[in-house]
Amino acid sequence: MRNFIRYTFLFLFPIVLVLLAIEIFYQIAPNNYTVKNENCATNYQNAEVLILGNSHSFYGLNPVCFDKQTFNLSNISQSMYFDKLLFDKHIDNFKKVKFLVLSIEYTSLSQLKNTDEDRWRKYYYKHYMDLEVPIIQSFDLNNWFVSGTKSFSSNLKLISRYFSEKTIVDCNKYGFGTNYTQHKRAADMEKSAAITIKRHEDNLTDFTENITAIESIIEKCKNKGIQVIIVTMPVTKNYAEKVNKEKLNKIFESALLLQKTNSNVFYLNLFSDSRFSNDDFYDADHLHNLGAKKCSKMVNDFINQKSAKTQF
Amino acid sequence: MLFNTVSFAVFFLIVFILYWFVFDRDLKKQNLFLLLASLFFYSCWNFKFTFLLLFSIGLDFYVGNKIYINTKNIAAKKRWLWLSIIINLSVLGVFKYYNFFIDNFIEIVTALGFKAHLWTLNLILPIGISFYTFHGLSYVIDVYKEKIKPVDSIIEYALFVSFFPLLVAGPIERATHLLPQIQKKRTFNYETAICGLRQILWGLFKKVVIADSCAEYVDLIFDNPSHYLGSTLVMGTILFSFQIYGDFSGYTDIALGVSRLLGIELLQNFSYPYFARDIAEFWRKWHISLSSWFRDYVYIPLGGSKSSKWIQVRNVFIVFMLIGFWHGANWTFIIYGFINFLYILPLVLFNENRRNIDVISVTGFKSGFKIFSSMIFTFGLVSFARIFFRSENVESAFTYISKMFSQSLFEFPEIFPKMIILILAVFMWIEWIGRQNRFAIEKLGFQWAKPFRIAFYYTLVLLILLFSGKELQFIYFQF
């Protein structure tokens, strides 16, 4: 038995060492989540506009383009479940926030908690953003080994990116996604749309879980005198043509109903807005940096308009 | 808790340490600990179904004793046997086949112009139910046939049925083989343990590198067969054959390796089936514990090959239909069984079914070519039948086949994963080299210098790590 343990240990030692090194990298290398978490705290005293949502608002709404001090707390594949958890955790600390921009996209209302990318991103929220995440079980091994949430080859790619680019952070201090630039945009939007819609289509039209979360956010905003701007971000024509129209209309109707039933809610639908062309997009459903500038100004104008009305 | 996850590695490490260092002095305590670990392992899937497993254990343990008590009372003995068979198969039937029978009954009744309103049940199939039901049945039948005496301890019996390496996807063990090992004090053996580790490594390689890589392409092709050329569909069937082999034999290798680390030898379930020279040999090498179970508990009791040719053909037919149906409540599996019956029929009729029973070896170019052609032909037959195995329903299987045999069969396939094909070639080469052993790398590299052997193992580990991350369910868990 002694020999068995010794030789097995010797054989496994280098492997464990490599895995440990990867885990240490995960623990110490700054990423979007850690950067957002840190900058979120620094914006507590100044931010007047807070943005929540997924990659569409992460890459599409640049706080620099807003007249009011803004912080973008949205993130890639951030579900409504995490929007709510982040909102509940931070909103009391944002002393000056007057507007909450909440993006509702084609996938936002139908994505159920703990599905899709939530299954592994949940650990990042817990580990890097200090969120209490009820869907994580206490004896789950990934509570302690964040690197275990991704495959070995993905981890190697990430580390190699870190060494070549010296960073894996893709957002600035205002929380805006910086790596979707115009010059890197997809060449074939039709192909991009076909691939994306295949990934996005879940054929679910029961929005109860997410509408309940939004209503809870709205209610809390109402109590704090915060206006909620629900935005549906623009997409390319190629993408818009491929979505399930029935489901899309149901999403719009849900947003309009929230506006109708809540005095502090305003809805801005940019989904098929004709002011955007395919040149504004990075891929089928994301704006690039210049498109984001255009979109952010529109949202800013909308906020200013609502701000003027409420002041009047 | 899948075998190829960190959770299982941690679970097994704890079990291994406690098993050898805490409970090793007292066999009863060691067995009790192993039983509790097995029940915990099973309850990780669905806690409620652990009670169904315990019911099955309790029933067969009780019946086994009753049969033994009534050894001289043939009628009572038979009654107890049938009670066990009926209850076991009823439980299996309700969970696995109820909806299938109801749906088909409704279709028939509707076709006859009547209306039928029968309830279908929204049941989850308890994982491993087909495997542990067959464990229990083999025990009861063996007690009935007086091949074994019933065990006195329910812990020993429960461990025989629920031993965690084999609980969810076999091999289907026999009481005559496993129970004596449970009842005997086990001592740690270095060579056996190292052999176990080697088999786990090879099993992980088969699952993660071979099966899961093929699965990506297989899913793509089988999900939309009408989008692809006939040649691509051929590629899909070939890749599926490797996927299912890598998946199931990989699982089995891990199960056998894990057991070996605990000092328990399980039955060999695969013996290089893709080197089979005819279909009869293939079924002696593929899922051996299932085909031999049907041989011993169905084929032979029905008369086997001892009666007339007609009776033998009938028995073979029954066995293959049952093998097909065992896999699941779907006509695709029944057709799969039937096709295999058709394949084996000429061999049975011309008494050629036991022609190839020796380990395959090739000497000379001429015999090499002949053997190689027969292996390829057998592999082709097996892969073709598996179109039914993999398809969602009979209609999609026929769509797949009709598209496959279209003119586009002779065009170059759109999907031709060079890297996977290269890996498959190397994999088959290693399997060929090791075909005389229990698993391909059992003795591979024994004559090499140690650094080369270690480098080979590290290469396997690296490949497993690089290909890991998909965490696909083992195919046979659904059966």
Side-chain angles (χ1 to χ4, degrees):
Chain A
M1 180 62 97
R2 202 174 296 161
N3 276 347
F4 175 78
I5 292 170
R6 192 172 67 206
Y7 291 133
T8 309
F9 176 78
L10 283 176
F11 182 80
L12 291 178
F13 185 68
I15 301 165
V16 173
L17 217 59
V18 170
L19 297 178
L20 208 62
I22 293 173
E23 181 58 31
I24 291 168
F25 168 81
Y26 265 82
Q27 299 285 347
I28 59 173
N31 57 42
N32 286 357
Y33 294 86
T34 55
V35 168
K36 264 186 192 278
N37 201 37
E38 280 167 24
N39 289 317
C40 183
T42 59
N43 277 276
Y44 278 159
Q45 303 302 326
N46 312 316
E48 291 179 71
V49 180
L50 180 66
I51 301 168
L52 282 170
N54 57 20
S55 55
H56 296 99
S57 46
F58 176 66
Y59 289 114
L61 295 176
N62 189 349
V64 174
C65 304
F66 285 74
D67 294 334
K68 295 179 170 60
Q69 178 83 20
T70 302
F71 185 72
N72 191 335
L73 197 50
S74 49
N75 214 331
I76 300 163
S77 297
Q78 187 162 289
S79 59
M80 202 56 77
Y81 176 75
F82 283 102
D83 280 338
K84 185 177 178 312
L85 287 185
L86 287 168
F87 174 82
D88 287 342
K89 182 181 183 228
H90 293 291
I91 197 61
D92 290 337
N93 298 317
F94 280 102
K95 305 291 180 199
K96 288 188 180 170
V97 163
K98 289 283 169 276
F99 288 91
L100 174 77
V101 178
L102 183 63
S103 97
I104 292 185
E105 310 307 329
Y106 186 66
T107 54
S108 306
L109 296 184
S110 53
Q111 191 191 339
L112 302 171
K113 67 181 173 204
N114 218 7
T115 59
D116 298 333
E117 294 190 25
D118 264 13
R119 276 193 285 247
W120 55 273
R121 288 190 188 269
K122 62 186 176 187
Y123 302 105
Y124 293 9
Y125 286 101
K126 181 177 181 182
H127 198 79
Y128 300 126
M129 299 192 91
D130 308 315
L131 268 186
E132 283 296 322
V133 184
I135 53 174
I136 301 179
Q137 292 174 323
S138 49
F139 53 83
D140 191 328
L141 280 175
N142 289 324
N143 277 323
W144 301 282
F145 302 103
V146 193
S147 59
T149 56
K150 285 211 163 181
S151 70
F152 183 73
S153 49
S154 306
N155 288 340
L156 289 189
K157 274 183 204 157
L158 196 71
I159 293 170
S160 125
R161 187 189 155 196
Y162 182 80
F163 283 108
S164 63
E165 295 176 22
K166 309 287 176 222
T167 180
I168 51 166
V169 176
D170 291 323
C171 64
N172 62 21
K173 61 178 179 175
Y174 303 107
F176 173 65
T178 50
N179 58 328
Y180 277 15
T181 52
Q182 189 196 22
H183 70 275
K184 286 198 289 182
R185 65 194 294 269
D188 187 347
M189 288 296 173
E190 184 59 30
K191 194 177 167 189
S192 167
I195 295 167
T196 311
I197 202 67
K198 204 175 169 188
R199 200 175 65 238
H200 283 177
E201 191 52 79
D202 51 19
N203 293 314
L204 298 174
T205 47
D206 182 0
F207 302 156
T208 320
E209 185 178 304
N210 290 309
I211 292 288
T212 309
I214 297 171
E215 281 172 344
S216 154
I217 292 174
I218 291 171
E219 195 54 36
K220 205 162 185 181
C221 284
K222 208 180 273 176
N223 295 337
K224 294 177 116 358
I226 299 170
Q227 309 295 315
V228 179
I229 311 291
I230 295 176
V231 182
T232 299
M233 297 292 284
V235 294
T236 58
K237 287 188 180 68
N238 313 71
Y239 182 88
E241 279 165 9
K242 289 182 174 55
V243 298
N244 175 345
K245 301 288 178 297
E246 207 177 311
K247 180 176 170 182
L248 185 68
N249 286 333
K250 204 177 166 195
I251 294 167
F252 295 159
E253 282 164 16
S254 304
L256 286 168
L257 188 66
L258 288 167
Q259 177 181 249
K260 198 177 163 187
T261 50
N262 296 283
S263 56
N264 65 329
V265 175
F266 304 99
Y267 182 42
L268 176 62
N269 187 351
L270 300 172
F271 191 78
S272 299
D273 195 293
S274 57
R275 288 170 288 182
F276 291 94
S277 73
N278 277 10
D279 293 339
D280 295 314
F281 289 89
Y282 174 83
D283 59 20
D285 60 330
H286 294 100
L287 293 162
H288 55 58
N289 53 337
L290 299 181
K293 201 172 175 182
K294 193 170 165 181
C295 182
S296 305
K297 282 182 178 165
M298 287 181 191
V299 177
N300 179 56
D301 291 345
F302 190 76
I303 289 175
N304 288 341
Q305 197 187 326
K306 297 300 162 195
S307 179
K309 268 189 185 173
T310 38
Q311 276 170 10
F312 177 75
Chain B
M1 205 180 338
L2 298 174
F3 278 178
N4 54 332
T5 56
V6 180
S7 316
F8 179 76
V10 173
F11 163 78
F12 183 65
L13 184 68
I14 296 167
V15 169
F16 182 84
I17 292 168
L18 295 174
Y19 180 83
W20 287 117
F21 294 101
V22 178
F23 299 105
D24 65 319
R25 290 193 187 157
D26 187 334
L27 182 64
K28 279 184 185 168
K29 282 181 187 163
Q30 199 180 40
N31 282 340
L32 179 63
F33 166 69
L34 211 48
L35 173 64
L36 293 174
S38 299
L39 293 176
F40 171 77
F41 174 80
Y42 191 76
S43 67
C44 286
W45 268 289
N46 193 321
F47 181 71
K48 288 178 207 158
F49 286 137
T50 314
F51 294 102
L52 188 68
L53 171 66
L54 290 172
F55 167 75
S56 174
I57 289 168
L59 171 79
D60 293 327
F61 178 74
Y62 182 73
V63 169
N65 282 318
K66 281 287 175 191
I67 289 174
Y68 186 69
I69 292 165
N70 290 292
T71 307
K72 296 208 172 120
N73 183 350
I74 305 293
K77 195 174 143 180
K78 203 171 249 178
R79 268 201 304 277
W80 282 110
L81 172 73
W82 279 107
L83 180 76
S84 166
I85 292 175
I86 289 167
I87 295 176
N88 272 303
L89 295 183
S90 301
V91 172
L92 187 64
V94 168
F95 281 98
K96 198 167 174 176
Y97 301 106
Y98 177 80
N99 285 351
F100 174 77
F101 283 121
I102 291 296
D103 288 342
N104 282 284
F105 179 73
I106 291 172
E107 267 188 43
I108 292 167
V109 169
T110 312
L112 292 172
F114 299 104
K115 279 187 179 177
H117 297 286
L118 291 166
W119 285 318
T120 52
L121 300 173
N122 188 18
L123 291 173
I124 305 168
L125 182 67
I127 204 156
I129 189 168
S130 307
F131 292 94
Y132 69 68
T133 303
F134 274 43
H135 281 146
L137 282 176
S138 80
Y139 169 78
V140 171
I141 297 170
D142 284 352
V143 172
Y144 175 82
K145 288 184 170 178
E146 294 173 30
K147 279 188 187 173
I148 52 165
K149 283 185 180 175
V151 278
D152 297 327
S153 157
I154 191 159
I155 291 167
E156 287 171 1
Y157 176 73
L159 183 56
F160 155 70
V161 177
S162 64
F163 182 42
F164 72 87
L166 55 77
L167 181 55
V168 288
I172 302 166
E173 270 293 337
R174 303 299 180 81
T176 45
H177 179 252
L178 185 56
L179 268 173
Q181 296 185 70
I182 290 171
Q183 290 165 326
K184 194 179 70 183
K185 183 163 169 60
R186 298 169 288 269
T187 48
F188 184 84
N189 179 288
Y190 174 78
E191 295 300 331
T192 310
I194 290 291
C195 181
L197 281 183
R198 218 177 286 131
Q199 191 157 9
I200 292 171
L201 183 63
W202 190 236
L204 282 172
F205 174 81
K206 281 182 182 174
K207 167 63 183 161
V208 177
V209 181
I210 303 294
D212 291 355
S213 311
C214 291
E216 220 173 299
Y217 295 98
V218 170
D219 292 346
L220 204 67
I221 296 168
F222 272 86
D223 284 351
N224 287 303
S226 54
H227 293 182
Y228 298 105
L229 299 171
S231 51
T232 308
L233 301 187
V234 171
M235 178 64 73
T237 59
I238 293 170
L239 290 176
F240 179 61
S241 278
F242 281 105
Q243 183 200 345
I244 196 163
Y245 176 56
D247 193 279
F248 193 23
S249 74
Y251 167 87
T252 309
D253 279 337
I254 300 168
L256 265 69
V258 164
S259 303
R260 210 164 273 154
L261 284 169
L262 300 172
I264 292 173
E265 283 288 332
L266 297 181
L267 290 169
Q268 193 178 359
N269 217 9
F270 291 88
S271 178
Y272 312 97
Y274 292 161
F275 299 143
R277 289 152 287 185
D278 59 52
I279 208 76
E281 189 186 15
F282 171 81
W283 280 104
R284 281 193 298 273
K285 289 168 171 284
W286 177 271
H287 202 173
I288 301 167
S289 63
L290 177 73
S291 44
S292 61
W293 196 98
F294 279 109
R295 182 196 63 205
D296 294 347
Y297 298 108
V298 179
Y299 181 73
I300 293 173
L302 285 172
S305 57
K306 300 283 179 221
S307 313
S308 66
K309 191 53 87 186
W310 156 243
I311 295 291
Q312 188 188 0
V313 169
R314 182 204 68 182
N315 297 344
V316 171
F317 173 78
I318 291 170
V319 164
F320 274 99
M321 296 313 280
L322 287 175
I323 285 180
F325 202 45
W326 177 89
H327 284 93
N330 195 326
W331 283 104
T332 51
F333 292 121
I334 296 170
I335 294 177
Y336 170 71
F338 183 68
I339 292 175
N340 276 284
F341 163 72
L342 291 181
Y343 287 163
I344 210 167
L345 186 61
L347 299 174
V348 173
L349 289 175
F350 297 106
N351 289 327
E352 291 284 331
N353 53 321
R354 295 191 64 79
R355 186 177 50 188
N356 295 310
I357 48 171
D358 54 324
V359 175
I360 190 166
S361 70
V362 176
T363 48
F365 179 77
K366 206 174 158 186
S367 63
F369 180 75
K370 197 181 158 199
I371 286 174
F372 184 70
S373 327
S374 57
M375 284 186 327
I376 294 289
F377 182 66
T378 309
F379 178 77
L381 291 177
V382 168
S383 299
F384 177 79
R386 288 218 177 102
I387 294 172
F388 287 92
F389 193 99
R390 174 61 179 78
S391 297
E392 290 286 315
N393 50 50
V394 178
E395 198 187 339
S396 26
F398 280 117
T399 308
Y400 193 100
I401 292 166
S402 63
K403 185 76 205 282
M404 190 166 81
F405 290 111
S406 62
Q407 277 189 331
S408 61
L409 177 64
F410 303 102
E411 292 177 39
F412 193 78
E414 304 115 312
I415 295 177
F416 192 81
K418 287 179 201 149
M419 179 57 114
I420 308 284
I421 290 168
L422 179 71
I423 291 173
L424 289 178
V426 174
F427 167 66
M428 288 312 280
W429 176 66
I430 294 173
E431 289 259 299
W432 179 259
I433 293 171
R435 67 191 183 281
Q436 309 230 355
N437 303 313
R438 288 177 293 183
F439 59 98
I441 64 162
E442 184 182 8
K443 289 173 185 163
L444 186 74
F446 275 21
Q447 63 279 34
W448 302 350
K450 207 173 177 181
F452 286 110
R453 201 167 71 232
I454 303 289
F456 173 69
Y457 297 146
Y458 273 123
T459 309
L460 290 182
V461 172
L462 187 66
L463 284 169
I464 290 165
L465 287 172
L466 286 173
F467 281 79
S468 65
K470 298 182 193 95
E471 287 195 14
L472 299 176
Q473 181 82 284
F474 286 92
I475 295 173
Y476 266 69
F477 278 21
Q478 62 186 298
F479 306 138

